Amino acid sequence: MSKIVFVTKPVVALKQVTIRFAGDSGDGMQLTGDRFTMDTASLGNDLSTLPNFPAEIRAPQGTVLGVSSFQLHFADHHVQTAGDAPDVLVAMNPAALKANIKDMQRGATIIVDADEFTTRNLSKVGYETNPLEDGTLDSFKLHPVALTSLTVAALSELTLTRKEAERSKNMFALGLLTWMYHRPTEATENFLNAKFAKKPEILKANLLAYRTGWNYGETTEDFSVSFEIAKAVMPKGKYRNISGNAAMAYGLIAASQRAELKLFLGSYPITPASDILHELSKHKKFGVVTFQAEDEIAAIGSALGASYGGALGITTTSGPGVALKSEMIGLGVMLELPLIIIDVQRGGPSTGLPTKTEQADLLQALFGRNGESPVAVIAPSHASDCFDIAIEAARIATTYRVPVIVLSDGYIANGSEPWMIPDVDSLPDLRVEFAKSQEDFMPYLRNPETLARPWAIPGTKGIEHRIGGLEKADKTGAISYDPANHDFMVRTRAAKVAGIKVPDLEVSDPTGDAQVLYLGWGSTYGPVSAAVEVLRDNGEKIAQAHIRFLNPFPKNLGEVLKKYPKVIVPEMNMGQLAMLLRAEFLKDVISFNQVRGLPFTTAELVETAMGVLHD
Amino acid sequence: MTDVALTKKDFTSDQEVRWCPGCGDYSILSTMQAFLPELGIPRENIVFISGIGCSSRFPYYLETFGMHSIHGRAPTIASGLAISRPDLSVFVITGDGDALSIGGNHLIHSLRRNVELKILLFNNRIYGLTKGQYSPTSEQGKITKSTPAGSLDTPFNPISLAIGAEATFVARSVDSDRKHLTEVLRAAAAHKGSAFIEIFQNCPIFNDGAFDSVKDSETKGAALLQMVHGQPIKSETHGLVHEGASLKLVELSSVSESDLVVHDAHNPDPSYAFALSRLSSSELSHVPVGIFRDVARPSYGSLVNNQIDEIIAKQGAGDLSTLLSSGDTWVVE
Ligand SMILES: Cc1ncc(C[n+]2csc(CCOP(=O)(O)OP(=O)(O)O)c2C)c(N)n1
Ligand code: SF4
Ligand SMILES: [Mg+2]
């Protein structure tokens, strides 16, 4: 940093902080949040993030609808969620303040761009008086900073229009927060250098705004203290920060490499799944084929065709896309070919809440097809778990020759966390065997152990055969309308999926005598774990288990359910897993549901458990 | 190349053929079985993918790899296969309902991409398998089970549609004309990229006689306008002449041979082939047959695979460890 500093301000040590950056969708809040995250990760704090953006790309400027935010929770210990109530809100305009103030608790810090609090902007969002002056924010630590004018003044030497200069104000805010929390500045400066390498004037503006923001914290009296959060204790290793969608893409590439199969992705863009398509498209040097099809049906059809030819066929989508793919998934069930369908769930039904999270596709994944059509269904528990789940999906699909549906969701997909980079050699060997040239080949003769049929790819001499969606005779695969054969084949396809080997459910029950079990699936893992930690810290006895394999269920699930008198199942749907557990195990679980497009907060889960523990 | 030359018998599967007696599909199948040995491609490298419909039973009867998929979606599956396995010869078998109704979207997109597929559309102008409803190629006013008072829809002209969809190879033939169909198949097989062939196919059960005008020995000579590259386009009675930017059908007796349009299947301007496609009226009194258009454009699979090869040549093959540790990383000691 360029300025010489004479006064050293006091430094306060904190254990954890949650910051929310909020602004217009054009204010660059996601980038600001991303950079703060990277600098925090490299400092060694554990963290979890929650981006939240409007469905409209550019909603009208300065309106509550157009507010985009990025929340980051970081700590000197293991972090489970992106945090409930932020300790710090950075609001770039009155709309951002209005949209987020209800989530803030008394005593929290609020930093606003005071320049934006004009009469016009205030009335746009329905503020009759200026909240910076009317006392409504008295219970908060309010810092009105003239972000825009300070940025513009700092950049006055550059040949930029005022509009262009104003655009760097997010870097001013980032610089200020970087100073407040003692983040390193080098990585962000490197990032800016690379990003704007071809636009030197814009680069200068961003760097200057960033440094000015930092210096502002250091020199002005408004900010009297800064904070330090010690490194979290994490297992030894090399780390990076990763979002769920990126981890999923990497996991799929890893799976194709370990299986020595060509990765073929057939996809049609849809929020919040498109980033997997974008990420995979960048990695053609792995021989990855990404095919942006004309619709969801063509996307999965092409993946199935590639799989028929011996590739690792994958399709990525969200709920509405899964609805379109249903018939082709059924064909995959009938053809008994490997196929991976990744559903990054969002709020439904119909177009629903495209940018918000939900877990309401579970029953669609399990049953949303005609006929008896069993497929494997698995779900990642947190962002970096997407890497492992992708490998798991490939293992199941190729071993059992069956479609596998992976249920990620918007929270996991866009959220990020530090990830210990695995050693490539430690990843499972996924190599497969194709059917060899032979006489009297029978395409539906099964492996007695897995019940899988041969993966018999075109180009193999002597095993030419015909398959299709019509019911086929056991072993020969010839068309068969025989009633007993159909009954047998339906049961066999079901038995194959039921027999997929999945690990037992692990239960965490430190005292061994808890009476209440928190049982989650998918992205509720973080919030539930955080709640369980709080409960245990308060002396409550509570057990926790998390289901990653939804079809088939872990073999010991029934036993686990029996062991605990009370089982709470929190879901971001109307009780879909709860319905399955009741149906299959006759266990009257306590279903806790919310469909607000947001992950559960720790507080809500603690409160729910307290109600059950002490009823 | 195969060690021993294959014969028609080698391409005939052991499945009993189950079309209605007299169905046009039989002759198309027989022509195909007789044609395949000529390609010199081993059986295991040939794949037939079909949708749903009477016509889509076709793959069962060929001793090659085959998939009878779902209604309208064969081009999607075939695209995935053809792109990821450029070593295979992939045929798509479809019907007028399968290709133009439920699967219309996939047909046009496969054609515009120029995926290495030979698409054979068996056009019987009716839904055969579901027992006789009108189809997107049925003439307006068609009386069927679902249109007892006559259909109201304007039909598609499949050839015009394919040309409009940027197809690089577009042809038409007739089920019963083995020699003509074989010639068209031969040209399609030699074409790089998508080849679209409409085959007039009689359904004696639900739409008998739909193509009588181009089959009856009394009328066909006049009705069939033969398109042969480098030859004047004409039937026994009529020929084509230029009229402004368009084409006009005239009686042969009214013009001299040298006035006739000489067919140029390789004409880069699609409006020429489109004009030809418009000559077939709904009642089929005059119908161009042969190859409307055969132009060169890189196949989609070759573009996809070249792009990957070029990236690998420039950057080297991907290394998983490097990928996983890309971006900002840090070490916890
Ligand atoms: C999703 C779906 N919708 C409807 C059907 C019923 N169906 C089967 S074939 C067909 C029409 C077939 O007509 P065409 O493609 O012209 O084939 P043809 O039988 O005439 O050869 C229909 C509507 C189906 N199998 N699947
Ligand atoms: S219904 Fe028509 S198209 Fe179908 S098999 Fe019979 S004759 Fe052929
Ligand atoms: Mg038909």
Side-chain angles (χ1 to χ4, degrees):
Chain A
M1 293 295 155
S2 49
K3 259 198 186 144
I4 302 162
V5 180
F6 298 100
V7 193
T8 315
K9 294 184 177 179
V11 176
V12 175
L14 295 176
K15 298 189 74 59
Q16 57 180 330
V17 180
T18 298
I19 300 178
R20 187 181 292 177
F21 295 93
D24 227 41
S25 38
D27 280 342
M29 290 298 98
Q30 303 302 326
L31 175 79
T32 310
D34 267 342
R35 281 319 313 165
F36 195 87
T37 301
M38 287 309 196
D39 298 335
T40 293
S42 65
L43 199 68
N45 294 133
D46 196 11
L47 64 88
S48 175
T49 70
L50 173 66
N52 193 352
F53 17 74
E56 294 77 17
I57 302 301
R58 287 278 164 97
Q61 239 186 345
T63 62
V64 172
L65 263 183
V67 173
S68 158
S69 71
F70 185 101
Q71 184 164 320
L72 163 76
H73 176 197
F74 59 105
D76 68 354
H77 53 268
H78 185 45
V79 163
Q80 303 280 13
T81 74
D84 287 5
D87 302 301
V88 182
L89 171 68
V90 178
M92 303 299 280
N93 61 16
L97 179 69
K98 179 121 195 181
N100 292 288
I101 190 71
K102 61 181 184 312
D103 297 336
M104 308 299 295
Q105 277 175 351
R106 242 181 245 126
T109 298
I110 298 177
I111 300 170
V112 300
D113 180 357
D115 291 330
E116 286 287 319
F117 283 65
T118 59
T119 325
R120 197 167 154 264
N121 288 352
L122 288 168
S123 69
K124 227 189 227 177
V125 293
Y127 277 126
E128 279 165 18
T129 53
N130 188 344
L132 307 184
E133 292 158 4
D134 64 9
T136 49
L137 300 177
D138 278 357
S139 56
F140 300 98
K141 292 187 202 108
L142 181 65
H143 297 275
V145 180
L147 272 173
T148 306
S149 45
L150 283 167
T151 304
V152 171
L155 307 186
S156 58
E157 304 281 290
L158 304 179
T159 54
L160 292 173
T161 64
R162 187 182 162 92
K163 260 228 146 66
E164 284 170 328
E166 280 182 10
R167 233 173 261 154
S168 296
K169 67 184 175 187
N170 63 330
M171 285 298 121
F172 185 105
L174 179 62
L176 174 58
L177 272 286
T178 301
W179 170 82
M180 269 176 82
Y181 292 98
H182 290 226
R183 309 291 98 180
T185 54
E186 218 183 296
T188 288
E189 292 185 334
N190 290 343
F191 167 84
L192 292 172
N193 276 316
K195 184 174 164 82
F196 298 114
K198 290 197 183 115
K199 296 177 188 158
E201 211 57 11
I202 306 283
L203 170 64
K204 269 190 227 160
N206 276 281
L207 285 174
L208 203 52
Y210 182 54
R211 285 172 198 161
T212 310
W214 195 94
N215 291 337
Y216 182 82
E218 181 71 21
T219 51
T220 58
E221 286 179 5
D222 192 19
F223 294 90
S224 52
V225 288
S226 64
F227 307 92
E228 246 175 9
I229 293 90
K231 282 182 191 207
V233 181
M234 297 212 252
K236 276 186 193 164
K238 191 172 180 186
Y239 285 77
R240 62 175 287 165
N241 197 58
I242 198 155
S243 70
N245 275 345
M248 190 74 80
Y250 284 12
L252 294 171
I253 294 175
S256 92
Q257 293 277 304
R258 299 297 289 174
E260 296 176 4
L261 296 175
K262 184 195 284 278
L263 190 167
F264 184 101
L265 174 75
S267 190
Y268 189 78
I270 185 169
T271 304
S274 301
D275 280 341
I276 307 177
L277 164 65
H278 302 161
E279 187 63 40
L280 284 172
S281 315
K282 286 190 228 160
H283 303 295
K284 297 243 144 85
K285 61 177 167 183
F286 288 90
V288 167
V289 177
T290 53
F291 178 64
Q292 183 175 316
E294 58 271 22
D295 62 22
E296 327 280 5
I297 302 172
I300 187 173
S302 65
L304 185 61
S307 171
Y308 173 59
L312 187 61
I314 300 161
T315 190
T316 49
T317 189
S318 187
V322 176
L324 285 169
K325 293 174 198 291
S326 303
E327 194 189 8
M328 196 69 78
I329 299 174
L331 180 63
V333 168
M334 208 58 161
L335 297 182
E336 302 192 42
L337 284 169
L339 182 63
I340 299 175
I341 301 109
I342 292 171
D343 173 4
V344 185
Q345 301 165 93
R346 62 190 222 182
S350 188
T351 310
L353 301 173
T355 57
K356 309 289 179 209
T357 195
E358 203 160 281
Q359 296 182 292
D361 294 350
L362 175 58
L363 295 182
Q364 173 176 233
L366 283 162
F367 306 117
R369 290 170 295 284
N370 60 305
E372 295 290 348
S373 178
V375 300
V377 180
I378 59 182
S381 314
H382 49 95
S384 63
D385 190 32
C386 290
F387 181 83
D388 297 322
I389 213 85
I391 290 175
E392 198 54 46
R395 175 188 72 88
I396 295 173
T398 56
T399 309
Y400 297 91
R401 319 271 147 80
V402 71
V404 179
I405 299 182
V406 177
L407 291 176
S408 177
D409 65 37
Y411 176 41
I412 288 186
N414 290 321
S416 70
E417 62 188 7
W419 175 51
M420 186 161 86
I421 300 164
D423 175 10
V424 167
D425 296 328
S426 71
L427 300 175
D429 180 354
L430 296 174
R431 280 175 298 178
V432 298
E433 247 184 73
F434 296 125
K436 300 205 169 64
S437 291
Q438 57 192 276
E439 272 172 37
D440 303 319
F441 174 66
M442 292 214 240
Y444 279 76
L445 191 64
R446 293 169 192 282
N447 174 324
E449 205 177 302
T450 59
L451 296 183
R453 77 176 192 91
W455 193 352
I457 65 172
T460 318
K461 196 178 173 71
I463 63 165
E464 297 84 0
H465 64 281
R466 274 64 55 194
I467 52 176
L470 286 170
E471 183 60 283
K472 33 197 90 7
D474 182 32
K475 300 186 183 71
T476 65
I479 300 171
S480 167
Y481 300 108
D482 177 55
N485 177 74
H486 178 56
D487 189 87
F488 175 79
M489 292 298 272
V490 166
R491 288 173 199 278
T492 304
R493 287 185 288 263
K496 181 175 81 166
V497 172
I500 293 170
K501 284 207 174 65
V502 306
D504 269 355
L505 190 63
E506 280 176 36
V507 182
S508 139
D509 184 358
T511 58
D513 60 350
Q515 300 294 299
V516 178
L517 170 72
Y518 240 136
L519 180 64
W521 72 276
S523 75
T524 60
Y525 177 74
V528 173
S529 303
V532 164
E533 241 171 62
V534 171
L535 289 161
R536 286 179 186 162
D537 285 350
N538 283 279
E540 300 293 345
K541 288 179 180 176
I542 186 153
Q544 186 194 356
H546 203 76
I547 303 182
R548 282 174 97 227
F549 297 85
L550 293 141
N551 198 34
F553 279 136
K555 296 277 169 292
N556 66 334
L557 177 58
E559 261 167 66
V560 171
L561 289 171
K562 230 182 251 162
K563 183 166 173 220
Y564 292 93
K566 290 181 181 170
V567 177
I568 315 172
V569 180
E571 296 178 83
M572 294 184 289
N573 60 41
M574 295 300 280
Q576 301 194 2
L577 175 64
M579 176 194 277
L580 294 170
L581 297 175
R582 287 180 188 137
E584 193 157 327
F585 302 100
L586 297 178
K587 173 84 180 184
D588 190 17
V589 299
I590 301 162
S591 184
F592 175 45
N593 318 114
Q594 240 178 45
V595 278
R596 303 172 59 238
L598 290 166
F600 286 103
T601 64
T602 309
E604 286 159 356
L605 292 165
V606 167
E607 194 186 326
T608 302
M610 287 302 276
V612 174
L613 283 159
H614 302 284
D615 76 341
Chain B
M1 291 300 287
T2 37
D3 321 329
V4 196
L6 296 168
T7 62
K8 178 174 183 187
K9 204 163 147 269
D10 293 315
F11 281 97
T12 307
S13 80
D14 60 1
Q15 294 289 303
E16 183 195 340
V17 185
R18 296 243 182 106
W19 289 306
C20 307
C23 176
D25 292 351
Y26 281 98
S27 38
I28 305 173
L29 175 64
S30 167
T31 300
M32 180 61 87
Q33 287 166 335
F35 164 70
L36 287 174
E38 160 183 330
L39 287 177
I41 298 171
R43 289 183 296 190
E44 66 271 19
N45 286 350
I46 299 175
V47 188
F48 279 84
I49 298 186
S50 62
I52 296 289
C54 295
S55 35
S56 287
R57 293 293 181 104
F58 202 81
Y60 287 117
Y61 310 132
L62 288 160
E63 192 55 36
T64 62
F65 276 86
M67 187 196 291
H68 179 214
S69 75
I70 50 177
H71 201 19
R73 317 302 175 192
T76 72
I77 297 167
S79 290
L81 182 64
I83 294 164
S84 59
R85 289 288 306 274
D87 57 317
L88 303 174
S89 296
V90 185
F91 289 81
V92 169
I93 304 295
T94 182
D96 41 321
D98 195 65
L100 301 173
S101 216
I102 193 165
N105 199 26
H106 310 309
L107 178 74
I108 57 176
H109 287 278
S110 306
L111 293 176
R112 82 170 162 88
R113 292 190 186 104
N114 205 29
V115 183
E116 191 75 44
L117 298 175
K118 312 305 161 206
I119 303 171
L120 278 58
L121 189 160
F122 296 15
N123 183 7
N124 54 12
R125 306 185 78 182
I126 201 82
Y127 284 5
L129 190 70
T130 46
K131 305 200 170 158
Q133 301 83 2
Y134 77 112
S135 90
T137 55
S138 297
E139 61 281 13
Q140 198 175 32
K142 183 101 182 154
I143 308 279
T144 71
K145 277 190 200 130
S146 62
T147 51
S151 65
L152 302 172
D153 318 24
T154 298
F156 265 138
N157 175 329
I159 300 289
S160 300
L161 181 76
I163 294 165
E166 309 289 350
T168 52
F169 183 103
V170 182
R172 175 188 284 143
S173 191
V174 182
D175 56 3
S176 49
D177 191 343
R178 175 178 299 240
K179 182 165 166 284
H180 188 264
L181 180 55
T182 304
E183 276 164 20
V184 169
L185 287 174
R186 194 174 289 137
H191 178 75
K192 298 259 174 288
S194 297
F196 175 82
I197 308 173
E198 178 193 19
I199 305 172
F200 285 164
Q201 175 242 323
N202 192 39
C203 167
I205 306 298
F206 296 112
N207 202 16
D208 196 24
F211 303 104
D212 276 358
S213 66
V214 298
K215 292 185 174 213
D216 278 4
S217 48
E218 274 179 27
T219 50
K220 78 175 187 189
L224 290 173
L225 290 159
Q226 300 288 349
M227 296 180 296
V228 179
H229 181 72
Q231 305 281 323
I233 301 174
K234 58 178 184 174
S235 72
E236 284 169 10
T237 56
H238 288 72
L240 277 191
V241 292
H242 291 286
E243 190 188 55
S246 189
L247 301 173
K248 188 182 165 196
L249 193 67
V250 292
E251 286 190 28
L252 284 180
S253 53
S254 68
V255 288
S256 75
E257 177 94 12
S258 60
D259 294 334
L260 294 178
V261 174
V262 174
H263 186 42
D264 178 11
H266 309 314
N267 189 335
D269 177 6
S271 52
Y272 164 70
F274 190 83
L276 286 173
S277 77
R278 305 312 291 173
L279 292 168
S280 38
S281 52
S282 199
E283 68 280 7
L284 305 181
S285 46
H286 295 284
V287 183
V289 289
I291 299 159
F292 289 81
R293 178 167 171 79
D294 180 1
V295 297
R297 198 168 84 219
S299 77
Y300 189 73
S302 70
L303 293 173
V304 168
N305 293 304
N306 287 347
Q307 188 176 55
I308 290 173
D309 291 346
E310 274 168 28
I311 289 174
I312 292 175
K314 238 184 255 161
Q315 309 177 358
D319 174 66
L320 188 55
S321 258
T322 313
L323 171 72
L324 300 186
S325 334
S326 57
D328 293 351
T329 62
W330 68 96
V331 175
V332 173
E333 307 278 348

